[in-house]
C-alpha cells in the first residue's frame, strides 16, 4: 500500500512555496504543526510572510533546536491581527494554552513568592503567596520576589506604617481588637471605616510595590503640612511617622547610576543545559526597589552537548528567553509600573514589537537597549552575577535531589531513576469523613499542581467502621482506571512510527518526562495496605507496568510486593529520606483535607435541623457570619440581610437558636 503521509515542507518545495504565497505580509501569529497535527511552535511577526519564509531559507543560520523543529513541520497556520500589539498578546495566550514543545516556557515551580492585593474584595487583603491563582482580574500580584526574607520584613514594616487589617478573621463579634486601640488597624472587622477610605490606604501601599515610593513621599509631605496648618496635630504626627517609615524602608537601596531620574529595568540570565535563571532588577529614581526572579525550561538539544553553548552563539536562544520573560511580566503589571528604559543582556528577537506595545500601554516612549560599556553595562553585569548565584544554588539543590533519586533507584532496584513519584495516604477518625490524598514529587521536588484530594465513596466506610485497605484500593483504582486506553490513544497520536526521522524519536524519549504516569507509587502503610493496592493493580493488569512500595511509619520500613520482610535500609540514606518526605507530605495533605471536611460537617450539623434551610443558604450564612457562634448571636434583622434569607426564614433561624 502506498504511504499517504505528507512530506515535511522542507522536502516538498512546491507545497512549501504555495503555502508561503498564501500567508499575507501583515502582523499576526503563526503556528507550526507536525504530521499528527500537534503544535510544535507558535510565533509572532510584524510581517508574517517574511518571518515564516526565513525559517526555510538555506542561508538562514538557525539554532540546532529550531533547525530540528523545521524538519518536522508539515503544516503552517496563521492568524492575522490589526496591530503588532495584538499579535504579541495573542501569541502569549496561545503559548499558555498549548505549551508548544519548541517555545520557551517559563517554569512556575513555586520557588519565588508573590505579594497579592485582592482588589476584588470590598476591603482588600494583602498577603504573601506562592500560588498565582487565575481568579478575579481585579486582584493584583507583585513579584515573583527572589528575596523572601526582605519581602516579609517589608510587609511587616508596612503594617506598622499604615493602619491595615491585621487579622484574616475578626477576633470579636461586637468590638474591634487591640490593634484598633493602638492605631494599627482602622476597625475593618466592625465597619468602622468605609470601603472607599480603606482602599485609599491600600492604594498607598500598592505604590510602594509599584516602585513609586518617591511619588508617595511627595504626596504625603503636603498632606502633613496642611494638617499642621489646620492644627490637626495628631494627623500630622501620624503622616510624619509614615514618611519616616517609608524613608527607612528605602534607605541603603541606592544604585550608582549617573541619571537617577529615569525609571529602568535591567534583565539578565544564567543558564545550564536544562534551566535558565532570570533576574529582573527594578530601579526607580536611582533606587533598587525590587529584584524579581523567573525560571525557564530549556528543551533538550538534538545532540548531546548542544545545550552548553546556549549563551555563546550570539545569544540567540538567550534573547528569546529574555523576550518571553519580559512579555509575561509586563502583561501582568499596571501601566504606571512600566519603566521608560529596559536594559537587556542580549538582543531580543522581537524587540521592536515589544517596545511598541509597551509604549502604547505606558502612553510614552519605552526604549529597549543592550548596553555594551560604561555604567549601564556594569548594571547588567551585576544582574547577571546575581542570576549566576541563583543558578548555582538551584544546581546544588538539583544535585542533592538527583543523588536521592539515584539512591532510591538502587535501593528498589529500579531500571531508571524515579523522576515522578506519587504518594498516597488515608485520613479519617474511626471511619468518619474518610478522605485520601495524592501528592506528586517530580525530580525530587513537590509538584503542587498535580496534588489531588479524594473523598472515599465506599458506603461501608462510615462513622464507627473504617477500612484503610479498601479505601486505598478504591483510590488507586480510580487513579489508574483506563490507563491502558489512554496510553493506546497517545501511541496512535504520538511519534511511534518507525519511518519517522531520528529527531522525532528524540521527542518520544522526552515525552515520558511530561507524562502523568508515575515511575514509583508510595503507599503510606505496611504490608496490609501494600497488599490491597497490589491486588487492585493486578486486577487492572497494571502491576507489571507500575512499581509500588509502602513505607511504614513506626520503623520507617520499606515493603515490596510479595515480600514478607522489609528491605534492609538505613534511615539516613538519601533515597529513604526522599521517600519519607513524600510520605510526610501525603500525610499532611490528607489530614488537612480531612480536617476541612470535618469542620464543614460540624458547622452544618446544627443548621441541617432548621426547616427550609438548604445547603446553598447554609453556605451563604456561613460565608456572611464566618462561624456558628456569630450566627447564633445575630438578630433577625441581621439574618435577613443575607442574600436569600427573607424575614420569615430569619425569624425561624433566630427562634431555633433562642427557644
Amino acid at each position: 500500500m502506498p504511504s499517504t503521509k505528507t512530506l515535511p515542507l522542507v522536502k516538498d518545495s512546491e507545497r512549501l512555496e504555495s503555502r508561503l504565497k498564501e500567508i499575507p505580509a501583515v502582523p499576526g501569529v503563526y503556528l507550526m504543526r507536525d504530521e499528527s497535527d500537534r503544535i510544535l511552535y507558535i510565533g509572532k511577526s510584524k510581517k508574517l510572510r517574511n518571518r515564516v519564509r526565513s525559517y526555510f531559507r538555506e542561508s538562514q543560520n538557525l539554532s540546532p533546536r529550531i533547525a530540528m523543529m523545521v524538519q518536522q513541520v508539515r503544516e503552517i497556520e496563521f492568524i492575522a491581527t490589526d496591530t503588532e500589539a495584538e499579535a504579541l498578546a495573542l501569541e502569549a495566550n496561545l503559548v499558555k494554552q498549548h505549551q508548544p514543545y519548541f517555545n520557551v516556557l517559563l517554569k512556575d515551580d513555586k520557588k519565588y513568592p508573590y505579594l497579592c492585593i485582592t482588589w476584588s474584595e470590598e476591603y482588600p487583603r494583602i498577603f504573601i503567596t506562592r500560588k498565582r491563582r487565575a481568579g478575579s482580574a481585579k486582584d493584583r500580584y507583585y513579584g515573583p520576589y527572589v528575596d523572601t526574607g526582605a519581602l516579609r520584613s517589608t510587609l511587616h514594616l508596612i503594617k506598622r506604617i499604615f493602619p491595615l487589617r491585621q487579622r484574616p478573621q475578626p477576633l470579636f463579634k461586637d468590638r474591634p481588637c487591640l490593634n484598633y486601640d493602638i492605631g494599627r488597624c482602622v476597625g475593618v472587622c466592625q465597619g468602622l471605616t468605609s470601603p472607599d477610605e480603606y482602599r485609599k490606604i491600600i492604594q498607598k501601599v500598592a505604590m510602594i510595590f509599584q516602585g513609586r515610593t518617591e511619588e508617595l513621599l511627595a504626596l504625603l509631605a503636603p498632606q502633613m503640612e496642611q494638617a499642621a496648618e489646620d492644627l490637626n496635630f495628631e494627623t500630622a504626627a501620624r503622616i510624619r511617622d509614615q514618611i519616616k517609615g517609608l524613608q527607612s524602608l528605602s534607605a541603603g537601596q541606592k544604585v550608582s547610576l549617573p541619571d537617577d531620574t529615569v525609571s529602568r529595568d535591567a534583565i539578565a540570565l544564567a543558564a545550564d543545559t536544562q534551566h535558565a535563571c532570570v533576574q529582573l532588577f527594578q530601579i526607580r529614581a536611582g533606587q533598587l526597589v525590587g529584584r524579581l526572579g523567573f525560571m525557564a525550561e530549556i528543551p533538550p538539544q538534538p545532540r548531546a552537548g548542544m545545550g552548553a553553548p546556549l549563551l555563546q552563539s550570539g545569544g540567540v536562544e538567550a534573547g528569546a528567553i529574555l523576550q518571553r520573560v519580559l512579555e509575561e511580566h509586563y502583561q501582568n503589571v499596571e501601566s504606571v509600573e512600566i519603566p521608560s528604559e529596559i536594559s537587556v543582556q542580549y538582543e531580543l528577537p522581537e524587540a521592536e514589537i515589544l517596545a511598541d506595545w509597551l509604549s502604547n500601554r505606558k502612553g510614552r516612549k519605552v526604549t529597549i537597549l543592550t548596553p555594551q560599556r560604561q555604567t549601564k553595562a556594569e548594571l547588567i553585569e551585576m544582574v547577571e552575577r546575581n542570576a549566576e548565584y541563583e543558578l548555582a544554588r538551584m544546581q546544588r539543590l538539583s544535585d542533592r535531589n538527583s543523588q536521592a533519586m539515584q539512591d532510591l533507584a538502587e535501593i528498589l532496584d529500579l531500571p531508571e531513576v524515579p523522576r515522578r513519584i506519587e504518594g498516597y495516604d488515608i485520613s479519617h477518625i474511626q471511619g468518619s469523613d474518610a478522605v485520601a490524598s495524592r501528592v506528586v514529587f517530580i525530580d525530587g521536588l513537590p509538584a503542587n499542581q498535580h496534588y489531588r484530594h479524594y473523598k472515599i465513596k465506599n458506603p461501608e466506610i462510615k462513622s464507627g467502621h473504617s477500612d484503610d485497605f479498601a479505601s486505598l484500593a478504591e483510590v488507586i483504582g480510580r487513579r489508574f482506571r483506563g490507563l491502558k486506553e489512554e496510553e493506546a490513544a497517545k501511541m496512535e497520536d504520538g511519534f511511534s512510527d518507525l519511518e519517522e526521522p531520528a529527531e522525532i524519536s528524540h521527542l518520544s524519549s522526552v515525552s515520558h518526562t511530561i507524562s502523568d504516569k508515575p515511575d514509583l507509587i508510595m503507599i503510606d502503610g505496611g504490608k496490609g495496605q501494600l497488599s490491597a493496592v497490589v491486588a487492585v493493580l493486578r486486577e487492572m493488569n497494571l502491576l507489571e507496568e507500575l512499581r509500588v512500595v509502602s513505607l511504614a511509619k513506626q520503623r520507617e520500613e520499606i515493603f515490596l510486593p510479595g515480600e514478607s520482610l522489609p528491605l534492609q535500609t538505613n534511615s539516613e540514606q538519601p533515597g529513604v529520606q526522599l521517600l519519607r518526605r513524600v510520605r510526610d507530605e501525603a500525610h499532611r495533605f490528607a489530614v488537612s483535607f480531612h480536617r476541612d471536611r470535618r469542620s464543614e460537617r460540624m458547622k452544618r450539623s446544627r443548621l441541617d435541623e432548621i426547616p427550609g434551610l438548604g445547603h446553598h443558604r447554609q453556605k451563604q450564612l456561613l460565608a456572611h457570619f464566618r462561624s456558628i457562634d456569630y450566627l447564633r448571636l445575630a438578630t433577625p434583622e441581621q439574618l435577613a440581610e443575607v442574600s436569600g434569607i427573607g424575614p420569615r426564614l430569619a425569624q425561624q433561624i433566630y427562634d431555633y437558636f433562642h427557644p
Side-chain angles (χ1 to χ4, degrees):
M1 294 289 292
S3 175
T4 59
K5 295 178 181 177
T6 59
L7 291 173
L9 287 176
V10 292
K11 297 181 180 180
D12 191 343
S13 57
E14 184 178 344
R15 192 164 66 92
L16 172 61
E17 192 58 34
S18 173
R19 189 68 182 118
L20 290 176
K21 289 180 180 179
E22 296 173 356
I23 301 175
V26 298
V29 174
Y30 56 92
L31 299 87
M32 306 280 199
R33 293 185 179 270
D34 65 3
E35 185 187 28
S36 58
D37 206 35
R38 291 185 180 180
I39 298 177
L40 296 172
Y41 185 79
I42 298 175
K44 61 182 174 302
S45 178
K46 295 177 68 174
K47 293 184 178 180
L48 282 172
R49 181 186 298 165
N50 296 357
R51 169 52 56 85
V52 175
R53 185 182 292 275
S54 69
Y55 286 98
F56 300 94
R57 291 196 188 108
E58 293 184 3
S59 60
Q60 187 73 15
N61 184 23
L62 300 175
S63 68
R65 184 170 64 90
I66 297 301
M68 182 179 77
M69 182 268 294
V70 172
Q71 295 295 321
Q72 303 168 27
V73 175
R74 257 68 168 186
E75 186 55 71
I76 303 171
E77 296 179 5
F78 67 88
I79 303 173
T81 60
D82 293 332
T83 64
E84 296 93 330
E86 290 179 2
L88 187 147
L90 178 59
E91 182 216 27
N93 291 333
L94 290 175
V95 168
K96 286 181 184 177
Q97 178 182 351
H98 297 287
Q99 300 279 298
Y101 179 79
F102 287 96
N103 277 86
V104 173
L105 302 176
L106 298 186
K107 180 181 180 182
D108 181 15
D109 62 350
K110 311 297 187 295
K111 183 177 180 181
Y112 303 126
Y114 294 86
L115 181 121
C116 178
I117 299 181
T118 57
W119 290 108
S120 59
E121 299 179 4
E122 186 179 25
Y123 290 94
R125 291 177 296 127
I126 303 177
F127 58 89
I128 296 173
T129 178
R130 293 183 187 269
K131 296 180 181 179
R132 184 167 187 159
R133 298 178 177 85
S136 173
K138 296 181 180 179
D139 294 343
R140 280 288 293 114
Y141 288 85
Y142 300 92
Y145 291 96
V146 176
D147 194 338
T148 307
L151 176 60
R152 294 188 184 279
S153 63
T154 298
L155 183 58
H156 177 72
L157 183 56
I158 286 172
K159 286 187 175 182
R160 296 176 66 90
I161 297 172
F162 296 98
L164 302 175
R165 180 167 62 178
Q166 304 288 333
R167 303 178 59 88
Q169 300 293 339
L171 190 62
F172 306 107
K173 174 64 179 177
D174 54 351
R175 60 186 176 88
C177 64
L178 182 62
N179 286 310
Y180 175 78
D181 297 323
I182 62 176
R184 294 281 179 83
C185 178
V186 288
V188 172
C189 61
Q190 303 301 320
L192 299 180
T193 186
S194 68
D196 290 339
E197 289 298 321
Y198 190 70
R199 282 173 173 265
K200 290 179 182 178
I201 301 174
I202 299 294
Q203 285 169 355
K204 294 177 182 177
V205 175
M207 292 176 69
I208 298 173
F209 292 97
Q210 292 169 354
R212 301 162 62 195
T213 307
E214 293 296 324
E215 185 180 337
L216 178 57
L217 288 170
L219 183 70
L220 291 175
Q223 292 181 4
M224 178 184 67
E225 294 172 0
Q226 184 62 47
E229 289 180 7
D230 296 341
L231 305 182
N232 194 346
F233 298 117
E234 289 187 5
T235 301
R238 186 176 66 251
I239 298 175
R240 177 204 60 199
D241 293 341
Q242 291 176 352
I243 292 174
K244 286 184 178 180
L246 291 171
Q247 290 172 340
S248 67
L249 191 63
S250 58
Q253 292 294 316
K254 281 286 182 182
V255 175
S256 178
L257 290 175
D259 184 3
D260 61 0
T261 62
V262 178
S263 296
R264 57 169 56 88
D265 284 354
I267 186 169
L269 62 79
D272 56 17
T273 57
Q274 295 179 318
H275 303 96
C277 284
V278 185
Q279 295 268 292
L280 178 68
F281 278 32
Q282 299 172 309
I283 299 167
R284 306 292 182 265
Q287 292 185 342
L288 177 63
V289 299
R291 183 165 72 100
L292 311 184
F294 305 86
M295 294 286 296
E297 295 278 10
I298 299 176
Q301 302 297 318
R303 295 190 302 275
M306 291 302 294
L310 169 73
L311 306 180
Q312 297 175 5
S313 57
V316 176
E317 295 285 356
I321 292 174
L322 295 179
Q323 172 109 17
R324 183 78 183 92
V325 169
L326 290 174
E327 291 172 357
E328 177 84 10
H329 171 65
Y330 290 123
Q331 280 185 349
N332 297 307
V333 304
E334 298 178 23
S335 59
V336 294
E337 299 175 55
I338 299 174
S340 302
E341 184 180 290
I342 303 171
S343 297
V344 297
Q345 180 187 20
Y346 295 98
E347 293 283 351
L348 306 184
E350 300 287 352
E352 188 177 352
I353 292 180
L354 180 60
D356 290 345
W357 175 65
L358 291 175
S359 298
N360 290 335
R361 283 201 61 199
K362 187 174 179 62
R364 53 184 295 187
K365 184 175 177 59
V366 175
T367 305
I368 299 177
L369 53 90
T370 309
Q372 301 297 327
R373 55 183 180 270
Q374 295 182 344
T375 308
K376 294 180 182 178
E378 293 174 359
L379 175 62
I380 287 294
E381 290 176 3
M382 181 180 69
V383 180
E384 181 182 0
R385 191 162 59 249
N386 280 271
E388 289 171 351
Y389 293 148
E390 258 323 279
L391 179 64
R393 190 163 70 91
M394 189 192 71
Q395 287 172 334
R396 288 194 297 270
L397 179 61
S398 178
D399 290 343
R400 287 198 296 269
N401 289 329
S402 297
Q403 180 186 0
M405 290 189 296
Q406 186 65 47
D407 186 52
L408 185 58
E410 293 174 2
I411 293 172
L412 303 179
D413 194 23
L414 300 176
E416 56 185 16
V417 295
R419 303 201 63 182
R420 179 183 173 109
I421 304 174
E422 294 188 1
Y424 294 85
D425 190 20
I426 304 294
S427 181
H428 58 84
I429 294 181
Q430 296 182 348
S432 67
D433 304 304
V435 298
S437 68
R438 180 189 88 192
V439 299
V440 179
F441 276 52
I442 296 179
D443 291 337
L445 294 173
N448 306 67
Q449 67 272 26
H450 298 299
Y451 284 19
R452 294 293 181 272
H453 284 134
Y454 297 89
K455 297 178 183 178
I456 302 303
K457 298 180 179 179
N458 191 333
E460 307 225 346
I461 299 175
K462 53 191 176 182
S463 182
H465 183 270
S466 63
D467 191 338
D468 287 0
F469 303 161
S471 298
L472 281 168
E474 174 191 328
V475 170
I476 295 297
R478 287 162 59 184
R479 165 66 178 94
F480 296 105
R481 187 180 300 126
L483 183 60
K484 287 281 189 182
E485 291 77 3
E486 291 177 12
E487 287 190 342
K490 288 179 182 178
M491 290 299 292
E492 289 178 6
D493 296 334
F495 305 104
S496 58
D497 200 303
L498 297 178
E499 298 180 2
E500 292 289 357
E503 291 88 352
I504 296 183
S505 66
H506 164 74
L507 288 186
S508 289
S509 68
V510 300
S511 66
H512 175 70
T513 64
I514 59 175
S515 169
D516 62 355
K517 180 180 176 182
D519 300 306
L520 179 66
I521 301 170
M522 193 284 308
I523 304 299
D524 186 358
K527 291 185 292 185
Q529 286 86 346
L530 180 61
S531 299
V533 170
V534 166
V536 72
L537 290 177
R538 182 180 291 115
E539 183 181 338
M540 300 169 68
N541 295 321
L542 291 174
L543 189 57
E544 299 299 323
E545 298 183 33
L546 300 172
R547 297 298 300 268
V548 57
V549 300
S550 69
L551 181 62
K553 286 188 179 73
Q554 190 170 7
R555 298 181 181 177
E556 309 294 353
E557 296 174 327
I558 301 175
F559 290 92
L560 299 180
E563 300 290 337
S564 58
L565 296 176
L567 291 176
Q568 296 294 324
T569 58
N570 182 350
S571 61
E572 299 305 316
Q573 283 183 256
V576 177
Q577 290 183 341
L578 173 59
L579 215 55
R580 285 165 58 185
R581 288 200 298 272
V582 177
R583 190 271 315 278
D584 294 343
E585 180 69 355
H587 179 71
R588 179 200 66 79
F589 200 51
V591 169
S592 64
F593 184 45
H594 165 73
R595 286 173 177 165
D596 290 343
R597 287 203 68 202
R598 185 182 64 196
S599 176
E600 192 68 19
R601 176 179 56 81
M602 293 176 68
K603 283 180 181 178
R604 290 183 179 148
S605 61
R606 298 188 65 185
L607 298 180
D608 286 335
E609 301 174 7
I610 303 175
L613 195 60
H615 177 74
H616 178 67
R617 286 174 173 172
Q618 290 179 19
K619 287 179 63 177
Q620 289 180 309
L621 282 168
L622 290 172
H624 184 83
F625 290 101
R626 303 293 184 180
S627 75
I628 290 289
D629 291 335
Y630 290 168
L631 177 61
R632 180 171 53 84
L633 295 173
T635 64
E637 292 75 17
Q638 292 173 328
L639 291 167
E641 293 175 359
V642 180
S643 176
I645 307 295
R648 182 176 178 183
L649 182 56
Q651 188 62 47
Q652 290 180 353
I653 297 170
Y654 182 83
D655 291 343
Y656 171 80
F657 287 109
H658 303 82

